[in-house]
């Protein structure tokens, strides 16, 4: 039997976000964000027509939910403040209902010995700012700085772990290249400008946090998807994988940890004549305000081969994948519901890369999980979902996390996605991730899953054996 014991004070918990869990209520004073607007315009795009107004209704259930988080062994928990809840117009007047709600939520977590990890931006731009150009407009950066500062002032006396953004590359990719987020453009030039402004916004928030002399740490949460070349001995595949890595990982990783953009990415952007608009002081701000702590979301790797498919003929909109092709590796393990490859060793490779090339920055696994459709079929006689596949998924990844720690990686915790089943953007409630079921057919009733019991044991024992 092997025992996997994790370091003392390891963070065991889960993550969600405001827009995916809270829901909207008539008296809550929340303003529209891009998801609210998009759902009003095109509800058919959202799986089963369930939109951001419903979600898991945590706004009303948070006390009960926190008891469930406690029962599943959480010592820490991440959510995000909804910008459009605190500032219904993105800036201007603060919504007092939001302040009361987040105060009660944070206090309830602390009263139950659950450390709140609070993120500021999880894909949810207030619509009033989107109407003025969104992240393309430098005003959004300044509005974000003000929003961040306000959050630190309101809640920074109790919240010790702050994060500026979750997966900032995702709104860039899906909002401006691959059409999965509003405004659904296909425009690399805009993607680069939005990426730059997001990076600057994060740095300005870090600057504000440090200037406010708050007692805590501030970081960012990045989805790191290691880029593996089809054939590691083929220089063309290796080069292609490095370019994909520059676009999708190092773009925000280098900025956040090292304070500069990756040289190879800048070279490509220069050659395309797409250097974003910026002010001379911006680069110094970015350089001087790097993160204390890095959250890592890991779900899948990226398999890459040298470009084989021809580029479309003119007019051609430049895309990152002009420089590489995706490689469909035979016999890979897959989560069929999400279509994502499951490659457990990827989590180890990320941690070792951070150890060796990013100064072994303190980090933690901020999301890891498995979305499964129709979990009802796994309900046992007692009425609980027996999600052994999720338990196996966690253990298979945790063995590698443990190995990386043994080899010196500075990993401080493991958060799963998600504590409670939550709303997944366009996928709505198609795939469930939770340790705790949310039964939409029964007035959002909550029920522990088998994985919730496992997680409690994992946290209590600070590890597992097998
Ligand atoms: C992460 C996000 O990318 O993955 C979450 O931070 C998201 O917001 C999660 O819900 C799972 O992905 P999906 O697309 O299945 O919801």
């Amino acid at each position: 039997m092997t025992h996997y014991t994790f370091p003392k004070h390891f963070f065991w918990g889960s993550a969600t976000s405001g827009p995916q869990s809270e829901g909207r209520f008539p008296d809550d004073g929340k303003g529209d964000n891009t998801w609210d607007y998009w759902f009003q315009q095109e509800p058919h795009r959202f799986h089963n027509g369930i939109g951001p107004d419903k979600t898991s209704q945590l706004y009303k259930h948070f006390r009960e939910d926190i008891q469930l988080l406690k029962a599943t062994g959480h010592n820490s928990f991440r959510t995000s403040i909804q910008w459009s809840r605190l500032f219904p117009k993105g800036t201007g007047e603060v919504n007092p209902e939001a302040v009361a709600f987040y105060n009660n939520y944070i206090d309830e977590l602390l009263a139950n010995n659950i450390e709140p990890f609070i993120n500021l931006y999880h894909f949810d731009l207030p619509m009033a700012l989107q109407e003025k150009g969104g992240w393309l407009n430098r005003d959004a950066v300044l509005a974000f700085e003000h929003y961040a500062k306000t959050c630190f002032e309101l809640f920074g006396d109790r919240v010790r772990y702050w994060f500026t953004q979750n997966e900032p590359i995702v709104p860039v990719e899906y909002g401006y290249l691959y059409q999965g987020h509003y405004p659904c453009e296909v425009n690399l030039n805009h993607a680069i400008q939005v990426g730059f402004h997001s990076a600057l916004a994060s740095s300005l928030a870090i600057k504000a946090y440090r200037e406010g002399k708050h007692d805590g740490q501030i970081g960012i949460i990045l989805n790191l998807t290691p880029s593996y070349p089809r054939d590691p001995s083929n220089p063309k595949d290796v080069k292609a994988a490095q370019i994909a890595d520059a676009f999708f990982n190092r773009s925000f990783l280098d900025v956040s940890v090292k304070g500069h953009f990756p040289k190879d990415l800048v070279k490509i952007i220069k050659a395309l004549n797409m250097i974003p608009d910026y002010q001379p002081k911006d680069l110094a701000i970015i350089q001087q305000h790097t993160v204390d702590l890095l959250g890592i979301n890991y779900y899948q790797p990226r398999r890459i081969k040298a470009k084989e498919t021809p580029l479309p003929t003119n007019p051609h909109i430049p895309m990152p994948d002009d420089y590489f092709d995706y490689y469909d590796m035979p016999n890979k393990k897959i989560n069929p519901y999400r279509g994502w490859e499951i490659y457990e060793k990827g989590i180890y490779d990320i941690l070792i890369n951070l150890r060796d090339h990013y100064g072994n920055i303190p980090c933690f696994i901020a999301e890891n999980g498995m979305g499964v459709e129709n979990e009802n079929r796994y309900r046992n006689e007692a009425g609980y979902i027996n999600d052994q596949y999720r338990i196996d998924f966690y253990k298979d990844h945790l063995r590698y996390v443990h190995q990386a720690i043994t080899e010196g990686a500075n990993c401080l915790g493991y958060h799963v996605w998600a504590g409670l089943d939550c709303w997944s953007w366009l996928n709505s409630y198609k795939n469930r991730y939770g340790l705790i079921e949310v039964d939409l057919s029964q007035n959002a009733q909550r029920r522990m899953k088998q994985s919730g019991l496992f997680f409690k044991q994992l946290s209590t024992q600070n590890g597992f054996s097998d």
Side-chain angles (χ1 to χ4, degrees):
M1 184 166 316
T2 313
H3 298 281
Y4 301 92
T5 303
F6 286 80
K8 262 194 188 156
H9 311 300
F10 204 65
F11 292 120
W12 295 107
S14 70
T16 190
S17 72
Q20 292 177 271
S21 59
E22 292 170 7
R24 282 187 90 166
F25 295 86
D27 55 351
D28 69 2
K30 188 181 120 46
D32 280 353
N33 62 32
T34 48
W35 294 95
D36 299 311
Y37 174 80
W38 200 17
F39 181 67
Q40 288 152 21
Q41 299 301 309
E42 301 186 285
H44 58 273
R45 281 195 185 242
F46 293 73
H47 186 76
N48 284 346
I50 301 176
D53 52 332
K54 300 270 185 313
T55 75
S56 301
Q57 301 165 32
L58 178 140
Y59 190 75
K60 295 284 183 201
H61 285 261
F62 71 93
R63 292 189 199 278
E64 172 198 346
D65 290 349
I66 289 170
Q67 288 312 310
L68 287 163
L69 297 180
K70 199 175 166 185
T72 47
H74 282 59
N75 61 22
S76 45
F77 170 69
R78 167 167 61 110
T79 188
S80 70
I81 289 172
Q82 289 203 69
W83 187 350
S84 58
R85 186 180 292 290
L86 195 64
F87 286 105
K89 298 279 172 213
T91 187
E93 291 291 304
V94 165
N95 168 17
E97 299 300 328
V99 178
F101 167 64
Y102 289 118
N103 268 330
N104 289 336
Y105 193 176
I106 289 166
D107 289 347
E108 189 76 9
L109 285 165
L110 289 167
N112 285 283
N113 296 320
I114 299 175
E115 187 79 55
F117 283 31
I118 300 294
N119 177 38
L120 296 175
Y121 187 72
H122 199 122
F123 312 164
D124 53 337
L125 192 69
M127 196 57 207
L129 296 177
Q130 184 61 47
E131 280 162 0
K132 294 180 188 142
W135 285 111
L136 283 170
N137 183 342
R138 197 177 167 96
D139 286 353
V141 178
L142 304 179
F144 181 78
E145 184 187 15
H146 176 66
Y147 156 61
K149 214 171 154 191
T150 308
C151 289
F152 304 147
E153 281 162 8
L154 287 169
F155 312 114
D157 57 332
R158 284 151 293 155
V159 174
R160 296 191 301 159
Y161 296 91
W162 287 95
F163 301 90
T164 58
Q165 295 156 345
N166 173 80
E167 303 188 348
I169 191 70
V170 169
V172 173
E173 282 179 85
Y174 289 101
Y176 294 88
L177 295 172
Y178 306 121
Q179 300 182 288
H181 284 200
Y182 196 78
C184 262
E185 291 185 14
V186 184
N187 185 329
L188 184 59
N189 222 329
H190 282 181
I192 292 166
Q193 185 68 59
V194 166
F196 181 81
H197 277 159
S198 305
L200 179 62
S202 174
S203 306
L204 283 168
I206 295 172
K207 181 168 176 283
Y209 188 72
R210 302 239 164 92
E211 286 172 358
K213 302 208 181 326
H214 300 282
D215 181 19
Q217 302 186 25
I218 185 154
I220 195 165
I221 290 153
L222 301 179
N223 51 319
L224 298 179
T225 47
S227 281
Y228 297 107
R230 166 182 54 185
D231 175 0
S233 65
N234 173 347
K236 287 188 176 155
D237 284 350
V238 172
K239 176 95 202 305
Q242 277 165 357
I243 295 179
D245 188 50
F247 269 107
F248 299 115
N249 294 323
R250 284 185 282 119
S251 45
F252 280 97
L253 180 60
D254 286 15
V255 168
S256 306
V257 180
K258 296 181 173 172
H260 59 75
F261 293 94
K263 285 204 179 83
D264 48 353
L265 184 61
V266 173
K267 201 171 153 195
I268 291 175
I269 290 174
K270 265 192 186 154
L272 287 166
N273 205 12
M274 288 190 184
I275 290 291
D277 291 337
Y278 67 97
Q279 297 179 0
K281 63 178 183 200
D282 295 350
L283 298 184
I285 291 170
I286 287 174
Q287 201 225 324
Q288 287 158 17
H289 300 96
T290 56
V291 297
D292 300 320
L293 176 67
L294 181 68
I296 302 155
N297 294 352
Y298 177 66
Y299 292 91
Q300 57 170 340
R302 186 177 258 110
R303 306 262 174 207
I304 298 291
K305 61 184 179 182
K307 190 82 192 156
E308 287 172 353
T309 53
L311 292 180
T313 43
N314 285 337
H316 172 56
I317 303 171
M319 293 292 270
D321 21 324
D322 289 353
Y323 302 88
F324 54 82
D325 273 344
Y326 285 97
Y327 171 51
D328 189 7
M329 190 176 78
N331 304 321
K332 62 187 173 200
K333 190 164 155 190
I334 206 133
N335 170 359
Y337 313 102
R338 193 61 182 83
W340 288 345
E341 180 182 346
I342 299 176
Y343 181 63
E344 298 85 353
K345 183 173 172 286
I347 211 164
Y348 167 87
D349 291 341
I350 293 170
L351 292 171
I352 296 301
N353 181 39
L354 294 177
R355 182 195 70 184
D356 294 347
H357 301 114
Y358 291 86
N360 212 8
I361 179 155
C363 64
F364 71 106
I365 303 302
E367 284 182 31
N368 182 226
M370 192 179 178
V372 172
E373 205 166 345
N374 186 16
E375 288 197 304
N376 236 330
R377 70 198 132 136
Y378 300 110
R379 203 176 291 286
N380 63 20
E381 282 172 5
Y384 296 98
I385 291 170
N386 187 357
D387 51 346
Q388 186 58 43
Y389 41 86
R390 183 164 289 116
I391 298 171
D392 293 341
F393 179 98
Y394 295 153
K395 282 169 138 184
D396 292 346
H397 285 83
L398 278 168
R399 284 188 206 94
Y400 278 111
V401 173
H402 187 268
Q403 187 183 333
I405 293 172
T406 310
E407 294 173 21
N410 201 358
C411 177
L412 310 177
Y414 180 76
H415 281 187
V416 298
W417 185 270
L420 278 92
D421 285 343
C422 62
W423 182 80
S424 276
W425 317 110
L426 293 183
N427 268 339
S428 190
Y429 279 92
K430 175 179 169 292
N431 303 315
R432 303 303 186 98
Y433 285 87
L435 302 169
I436 297 151
E437 176 191 4
V438 174
D439 189 344
L440 295 177
S441 69
Q442 304 229 11
N443 211 12
Q445 190 189 330
R446 279 69 165 141
R447 243 179 258 118
M448 181 94 87
K449 299 183 196 172
Q450 194 65 35
S451 57
L453 299 176
F454 164 78
F455 207 78
K456 166 78 179 158
Q457 206 179 37
L458 179 68
S459 159
T460 310
Q461 298 177 353
N462 201 30
F464 65 101
S465 307
D466 62 12

